[in-house]
């Protein structure tokens, strides 16, 4: 990741801050196993933040059950996500990364709820943290 972000750390600094799984997903663009993440079926009121830099990314009002096995949102907080064309694994997808630190979050697809945005942000639980409104 050569682009400069608001939060810039060396890979050694990221490795010290993050667990091995967090580093794999956030910094090496990995993916957690479906249905394994703690936020897949999590529906408390609050905000979801980047696990690497704590930037607010998603609000609970925009989370929905998609059945895909990962936390799904129909929109992100404006200006918090960078969108990158991803042609890995023989597919054309749109990768989502934190606009503040460049960490990999997941992908966004155009198969979300038609009654809202039509988008499905498919996000790794290990990429995010949660702050309750209570």
């Amino acid at each position: 990741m050569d682009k400069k972000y608001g939060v810039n750390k060396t890979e050694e600094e990221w490795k010290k801050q993050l667990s091995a799984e967090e580093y794999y997903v956030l910094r090496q663009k990995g993916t957690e196993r479906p249905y394994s993440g703690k936020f897949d079926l999590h529906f408390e009121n609050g905000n979801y933040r980047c696990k690497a830099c704590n930037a607010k990314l998603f609000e609970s009002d925009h989370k929905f059950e998609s059945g895909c096995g990962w936390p799904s949102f129909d929109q992100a907080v404006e200006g918090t996500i960078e969108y990158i064309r991803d042609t890995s694994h023989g597919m054309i997808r749109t990768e989502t990364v934190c606009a503040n630190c460049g960490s990999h979050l997941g992908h966004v697809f155009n198969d979300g709820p038609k009654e809202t945005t039509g988008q499905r942000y498919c996000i790794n639980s290990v990429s995010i943290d949660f702050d309750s409104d209570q």
Side-chain angles (χ1 to χ4, degrees), residues 4 8 10-11 19 21 23 28 36 38 40 45 52 60 62 64 73 94 105-107 114 120-121 125 127 130-131:
K4 292 294 180 195
N8 286 292
T10 66
E11 290 310 304
S19 72
E21 183 183 25
Y23 182 81
Q28 297 181 311
S36 68
K38 65 181 177 180
D40 178 28
N45 289 330
S60 59
H62 298 286
F64 67 97
F73 303 86
T94 302
L105 303 169
H107 292 85
K114 300 290 183 237
R120 175 175 56 94
Y121 287 79
S125 284
S127 295
F130 179 76
D131 292 333

Side-chain angles (χ1 to χ4, degrees), residues 75-91:
Q75 72 181 54
V77 173
E78 190 171 338
T80 64
I81 303 290
E82 183 179 348
Y83 302 91
I84 300 170
R85 181 179 165 93
D86 178 0
T87 58
S88 64
H89 307 292
M91 298 178 271

Side-chain angles (χ1 to χ4, degrees), residues 11-12 18 24 26 37 41-42 54 64 69 73 76 79 85-86 94 108-109 113 126 128 130-131 134:
E11 290 310 304
E12 283 306 311
L18 303 169
Y24 168 68
L26 287 158
L41 299 176
H42 179 266
N54 206 39
F64 67 97
F73 303 86
R85 181 179 165 93
D86 178 0
T94 302
V108 63
F109 302 96
V126 74
I128 53 178
F130 179 76
D131 292 333
Q134 301 164 15

